[in-house]
Amino acid sequence: MNQAAVSVIPPVSAALETEFSPPTDSVLWKKDFLLGVATAAYQIEGAVHEDGRLPSIWDTFSATPGKVLAGDTGEFACDHYHRWEEDVETIAALNVDGYRLSIAWPRVMDEHGQPNAVGIAFYKNLLQRLKQKGLKTFVTLYHWDLPQHLEDRGGWLNRETAYRFADYADLMSRELSGLVDAWATLNEPWCSAFHGYGGGHHAPGRADVRYATQAMHHLLLGHGLALVHLRRNDPGAQVGLVANVGRGTTTGSSAADKRAAELFELQHNNWIFDPLFKKSYPEALWSLWPGAKPLILEGDMDIIGAPMDFLGINYYFRTNVVSDGGHGYLEVDLEGVERTQMGWEVYPQGLYDLLVGFHHEYANLPPVYITENGTASDDVVVDGKVADPRRISFLNRHLAAVDAAVKAGVDIRGYFIWSLLDNFEWAFGYERRFGIIHVDYATQKRTWKQSAFLVRDFLARRNAQP
Ligand code: IFM
């Protein structure tokens, strides 16, 4: 992709840190442009041993010394399993249009594939309450918490897992039919495959690029198999997949450096989008990762490439690369750029570039939702208040990028802030705070950050328009 960027982002200013007032011609003022907040089960629910929930790969991984910062685990998280009613009140009070959540697979199915009625009732009650509040519900089936018993049989390296995932999608869409506006099969298969099986930074912690490519193939196969059930059981809902996308650019000037930036995006974005929208993997992957071509059976690519109603895009940062002198790329951190608590570069232009690039590259790209975007900061409560100017600035500038992409012709229907609550940030535990609502983990007290108040007030103004 890597087209030359047209700058669309407003310059950093003090006003962007304290106000949330999009320009009058921004798509954000349109009431049918969905603005929502997002979470994921393992990051907020806690209650990992309750009501028959089985262990997941993240329970195992986080209990393994050295895998998660400060030895944190999701055992208690935000205690959302017990505090969901309070949290739904908070979501409604924010005036947002929608809520994106995920279902914990180990909570709703036992080892024999039988339903866990108590676990299912939790999500049914939650979704019913969200609907009563008039909220659109976006439900992700797999946000990384694979049941441990499936990992014990090879996890996503085992083709069988794709079929078990389809069974799970079948059960959930029968049980929750009519309560879900949009089903996403997978959240960020790139992270599941690359971090979970390629680099070992995420559960289950396996580390071989050949595992990553095989895991990706089975994840995508599971996605395609699940779509059939979702469409049949819940015909009124939209179906899609959520991918995290990466912008790769280079400070190098050689053709090899430019190719390195293309390769970065190829392995990050096209690895997932080519199978979904072109029914094939990009050939260049196999020179980037020699010997890592997965086993693909006849018919797999047609299953994977079945049409979707929407594509969820999660975007956070840009990566600078140069050529490694061979067939690959090396990451080189840029100096002097704005970074988040995660160390990620704040680069809203990258969101615009990617959205416009995908729009041109994939003729059959379905409508897009930005299903995650947000930032971590070291937020503290002072006299009952939390000032988070850098988050407000981040959101303002990324929403400007989304608006510009809409104006450039990309069909974008909504945007979800990551995240509703501070939560368990995977290998970084609880130190990194992504929420617009602060969570004191010792008391479970929720405190609205300034960004939350500004979102609420903006949406009140938007909704008051004729
Ligand atoms: O917290 C995660 C989320 O679970 C998946 N997308 C990225 C977020 C921030 O790292």
Side-chain angles (χ1 to χ4, degrees), residues 43 143-144 187-188 316 344 372 418 425-426 434:
Q43 295 181 270
H143 200 124
W144 306 353
N187 179 71
E188 302 186 355
Y316 288 93
W344 296 344
E372 283 181 30
W418 184 268
E425 177 51 27
W426 308 111
F434 273 95

Side-chain angles (χ1 to χ4, degrees), residues 103-406:
I103 294 174
W105 185 354
R107 211 181 269 296
V108 295
M109 251 185 156
D110 75 10
E111 295 194 24
H112 310 289
Q114 294 305 306
N116 174 341
V118 186
I120 294 171
F122 170 73
Y123 295 106
K124 213 174 260 180
N125 292 335
L126 173 60
L127 289 165
Q128 277 167 348
R129 186 70 61 84
L130 291 164
K131 296 309 297 172
Q132 283 161 11
K133 297 282 181 190
L135 288 151
K136 294 255 188 275
T137 50
F138 279 59
V139 174
T140 303
L141 285 165
Y142 185 69
H143 200 124
W144 306 353
D145 40 3
L146 185 72
Q148 180 63 42
H149 65 90
L150 291 176
E151 179 58 31
D152 295 342
R153 281 179 236 140
W156 290 107
L157 298 179
N158 182 351
R159 190 177 168 91
E160 267 303 301
T161 299
Y163 293 91
R164 298 293 73 79
F165 178 69
D167 294 344
Y168 159 56
D170 181 20
L171 175 67
M172 286 301 100
S173 51
R174 278 188 279 116
E175 291 284 348
L176 304 176
S177 179
L179 293 171
V180 176
D181 290 286
W183 291 99
T185 52
L186 308 175
N187 179 71
E188 302 186 355
W190 187 88
C191 286
S192 298
F194 199 77
H195 287 325
Y197 290 86
H201 307 300
H202 280 187
R206 306 189 67 162
D208 187 320
V209 74
R210 290 169 305 168
Y211 294 160
T213 54
Q214 192 64 65
M216 176 65 86
H217 185 64
H218 292 153
L219 281 154
L220 294 177
L221 180 66
H223 153 82
L225 294 167
L227 286 187
V228 178
H229 297 293
L230 297 173
R231 286 201 187 285
R232 186 191 55 233
N233 297 337
D234 199 3
Q238 296 184 30
V239 297
L241 173 147
V242 169
N244 60 314
V245 294
R247 179 68 171 132
T249 57
T250 185
T251 40
S253 53
S254 70
D257 291 329
K258 292 193 171 66
R259 180 62 184 154
E262 283 172 9
L263 282 172
F264 175 84
E265 292 194 357
L266 186 104
Q267 61 78 34
H268 212 305
N269 311 328
N270 307 83
W271 185 17
I272 293 113
F273 291 166
D274 279 17
L276 292 176
F277 303 126
K278 296 182 176 170
K279 299 189 177 183
S280 62
Y281 289 102
E283 271 308 308
L285 277 183
W286 319 131
S287 44
L288 180 66
W289 298 326
K293 197 167 181 174
L295 181 64
I296 303 170
L297 300 192
E298 199 180 335
D300 283 2
M301 300 315 288
D302 283 328
I303 295 170
I304 291 171
M308 304 190 293
D309 302 322
F310 75 96
L311 173 68
I313 296 264
N314 297 352
Y315 174 78
Y316 288 93
F317 58 97
R318 168 264 293 263
T319 305
N320 182 59
V321 297
V322 293
S323 168
D324 69 353
H327 291 292
Y329 60 85
L330 294 173
E331 297 187 13
V332 181
D333 278 350
L334 293 173
E335 300 287 332
V337 296
E338 180 185 353
R339 293 189 183 276
T340 73
Q341 192 192 16
M342 297 293 286
W344 296 344
E345 183 190 355
V346 178
Y347 191 66
Q349 177 74 39
L351 177 56
Y352 171 87
D353 294 343
L354 289 169
L355 289 167
V356 173
F358 299 146
H359 171 65
H360 289 301
E361 195 166 352
Y362 298 104
N364 52 349
L365 193 78
V368 168
Y369 288 88
I370 309 304
T371 33
E372 283 181 30
N373 180 234
T375 184
S377 44
D378 187 10
D379 305 316
V380 286
V381 183
V382 180
D383 297 333
K385 296 197 169 86
V386 184
D388 58 344
R390 296 187 62 189
R391 176 169 296 101
I392 298 163
S393 175
F394 182 102
L395 294 175
N396 267 311
R397 285 178 285 154
H398 284 79
L399 281 160
V402 172
D403 180 48
V406 170

